[in-house]
C-alpha cells in the first residue's frame, strides 16, 4: 500500500509558500460585482473518499463559482437527455477563449464543447426543456444542495444581476446560436437561467464536497447514493481534463495532471479519481481567465501527493 500523504501538512506548506504572492492576478472586471472581491484571499479544501476534510486559509468563505457550474449543467443535461446532448455540442478542446465568438460561425452555431460559454448556454437550453426558467434554476440549486449535503447554499442575486446588466457578449453568442436553431428557447430565458447558475456561491469546502462523486466512480462516498454511472463520471472527468481550462487546458493537464474546471470567480474544482475532490480559490486570474495561484497550488498538491490521472 502506498503511504497516505499528510494532506494537512501539504496544505500548510502550499499556503506558506504562496502567501507572499497573494493578490497576484486580475479580477474579472467585466462582471462588476466580481471586481469588488479582495484578491488577497486564498482558500483550499481537500475532501478524501474516506470522508475526511482538510482545509487551509479562506476555505470557508463563499465565492462565485461561475463557470465551475458548467460541470453541474453538463451533469444535469446528461441526466435529462442522455448522450443525445452530443448532437447539440461538441467535445473537443476549443483552443480559444471561454467567450470566443469566431469559432461558432465557422462551425454553424454548434459549440466546440459544453464548458465554453456558448456550449454551456446550449446545456442551459436543454435544461429548460419542459421547465419555466424559475423551475430550471430551482432544479440546479436543489441538485447542488443535495450533492453538497448543505441546504445553506444560495445563488448570489447581486452577481446574477451584475452579469445580466453587462452580459452583452453572452447575449451575442446566444442570439447567434438562436439564429442557427442551436438554441430553442427565448434567449432572455436561457441567459437568465445561465447567469443564475453561474452566480451560485460556495465555499471551497462545499465545492469539494459537491464534486466528490466524480472522484468516486459517480457515487457519493459519504452518503452512499449513486449520482451518475461509473462510465458517466469518467466521461465528465475526461471533459474537465480536456476542456476545463479553455485555451489553457493542455497546460493545466501538463502541470497538474488532474481533471479540473475553473471559474472567473477564481475558483477551481479538481478531481483526483480514487482519492479526493479538491477546491481552491484565489480571485486573481491569469490572461486566460483562470485562477493564477489556484493552478499553482494544485500543481504543488499534485506533486506532493503523487495524484495524477497519468499513472
Ligand atoms: O458567462 C460568463 O462569462 C461567466 N458567467 C462565466 C465565465 C467563466 O467563469 C469563465 N471561466 N474561467
Amino acid at each position: 500500500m502506498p503511504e497516505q500523504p499528510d494532506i494537512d501538512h501539504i496544505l500548510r506548506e502550499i499556503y506558506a509558500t504562496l502567501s507572499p504572492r497573494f493578490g497576484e492576478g486580475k479580477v474579472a472586471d467585466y462582471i462588476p460585482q466580481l471586481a469588488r472581491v479582495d484578491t488577497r484571499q486564498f482558500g483550499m479544501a481537500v475532501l478524501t473518499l474516506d470522508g475526511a476534510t482538510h482545509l487551509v486559509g479562506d476555505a470557508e468563505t463563499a465565492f462565485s463559482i461561475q463557470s465551475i457550474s458548467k460541470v453541474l449543467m453538463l451533469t444535469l443535461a446528461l441526466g435529462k437527455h442522455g448522450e443525445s446532448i452530443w448532437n447539440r455540442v461538441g467535445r473537443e478542446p476549443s483552443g480559444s477563449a471561454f467567450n470566443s465568438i469566431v469559432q461558432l460561425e465557422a462551425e454553424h452555431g454548434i459549440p466546440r464543447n459544453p464548458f465554453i460559454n456558448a456550449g454551456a448556454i446550449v446545456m442551459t437550453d436543454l435544461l429548460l426543456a419542459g421547465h419555466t426558467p424559475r423551475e430550471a434554476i430551482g432544479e440546479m440549486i436543489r441538485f447542488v444542495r443535495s450533492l453538497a449535503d448543505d441546504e445553506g447554499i444560495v445563488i448570489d442575486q447581486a452577481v446574477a444581476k451584475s452579469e445580466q446588466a453587462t452580459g452583452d457578449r453572452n447575449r451575442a453568442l446566444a442570439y447567434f446560436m438562436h439564429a442557427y436553431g442551436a438554441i430553442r428557447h427565448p434567449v432572455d430565458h436561457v441567459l437568465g437561467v445561465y447567469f443564475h447558475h453561474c452566480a451560485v456561491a460556495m465555499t471551497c469546502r462545499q465545492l469539494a464536497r459537491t464534486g466528490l462523486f466524480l472522484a468516486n466512480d459517480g457515487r457519493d462516498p459519504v452518503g452512499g447514493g449513486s449520482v451518475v454511472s461509473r462510465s458517466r463520471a469518467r466521461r465528465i472527468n475526461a471533459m474537465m481534463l480536456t476542456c476545463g481550462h479553455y485555451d489553457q487546458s493542455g497546460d493545466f493537464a501538463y502541470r497538474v495532471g488532474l481533471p479540473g474546471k475553473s471559474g472567473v470567480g477564481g475558483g477551481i474544482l479538481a478531481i483526483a479519481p480514487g482519492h479526493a475532490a479538491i477546491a481552491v480559490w484565489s480571485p486573481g486570474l491569469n490572461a486566460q481567465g483562470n485562477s493564477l495561484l489556484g493552478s499553482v497550488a494544485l500543481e504543488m498538491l499534485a506533486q506532493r501527493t503523487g495524484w495524477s490521472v497519468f499513472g
Side-chain angles (χ1 to χ4, degrees), residues 30-31 65-68 70 98-99 115 117 163 170 194-195 198 244 246 261-265 285 288-291:
Y30 77 100
I31 302 176
I65 67 166
Q66 290 297 316
S67 286
I68 302 169
K70 290 169 179 168
F98 62 89
N99 55 6
F115 292 158
N117 285 9
E163 189 166 12
N170 282 322
Y194 170 80
F195 292 144
C198 291
Y246 314 108
K261 183 72 207 82
S262 64
V264 285
L285 308 178
Q288 289 86 6
N290 302 316
S291 175

Side-chain angles (χ1 to χ4, degrees), residues 34-293:
L34 295 184
R36 300 157 54 115
V37 174
D38 179 357
T39 48
R40 287 164 306 185
Q41 299 174 92
F42 177 94
M44 200 163 181
V46 178
L47 268 66
T48 46
L49 298 192
D50 57 6
T53 299
H54 307 270
L55 308 176
V56 77
D58 302 309
E60 303 269 27
T61 304
F63 61 92
S64 191
I65 67 166
Q66 290 297 316
S67 286
I68 302 169
S69 65
K70 290 169 179 168
V71 177
L72 305 167
M73 296 181 205
L74 171 64
T75 306
L76 281 174
L78 279 166
K80 206 173 158 103
H81 300 275
E83 295 287 312
S84 71
I85 68 159
W86 302 117
N87 299 324
R88 305 271 304 270
V89 70
R91 38 175 198 257
E92 294 298 339
S94 70
S96 346
F98 62 89
N99 55 6
S100 171
I101 295 178
V102 283
Q103 221 164 38
L104 257 190
E105 174 153 38
E107 298 178 2
H108 312 291
I110 305 291
R112 269 288 170 101
N113 68 63
F115 292 158
I116 51 174
N117 285 9
I121 291 169
V122 169
M123 293 302 101
T124 307
D125 189 57
L126 287 167
L127 295 181
L128 265 167
H131 281 317
T132 63
R134 187 186 289 270
E135 287 166 351
I137 294 168
E139 186 178 34
M140 165 66 87
I141 198 77
R142 277 193 302 280
F143 183 53
V144 171
R145 286 173 180 163
S146 84
L147 288 175
D149 192 19
D150 192 332
E151 288 300 308
I153 294 171
V154 292
I155 290 172
D156 184 333
Q157 294 295 340
V159 171
K161 273 209 187 75
S162 183
E163 189 166 12
Q164 188 96 43
T166 58
D168 282 346
R169 211 172 159 106
N170 282 322
R171 231 164 257 129
L173 289 169
Y175 276 112
F176 193 74
M177 290 190 287
H178 198 261
Y180 275 104
I183 284 195
R184 317 247 164 108
H185 295 85
V187 164
D188 55 333
H189 288 192
V190 178
L191 286 181
V193 175
Y194 170 80
F195 292 144
H196 280 82
H197 287 175
C198 291
V200 170
M202 274 199 253
T203 66
C204 287
R205 188 177 52 72
Q206 290 168 329
L207 181 60
R209 178 74 185 84
T210 300
L212 203 51
F213 74 100
L214 290 171
N216 191 44
D217 291 336
R219 296 183 73 83
D220 177 359
V222 183
S226 169
V227 182
V228 296
S229 67
R230 182 183 199 188
S231 67
R232 184 157 290 168
R234 285 183 172 170
R235 287 170 163 178
I236 295 168
N237 285 334
M239 295 306 302
M240 289 172 73
L241 184 84
T242 52
C243 307
H245 281 73
Y246 314 108
D247 44 340
Q248 201 193 2
S249 298
D251 177 62
F252 187 84
Y254 182 86
R255 285 170 40 213
V256 179
L258 298 172
K261 183 72 207 82
S262 64
V264 285
I268 302 175
L269 171 65
I271 305 298
H275 299 288
I278 307 132
V280 60
W281 174 53
S282 170
L285 308 178
N286 62 19
Q288 289 86 6
N290 302 316
S291 175
L292 181 67
L293 294 182

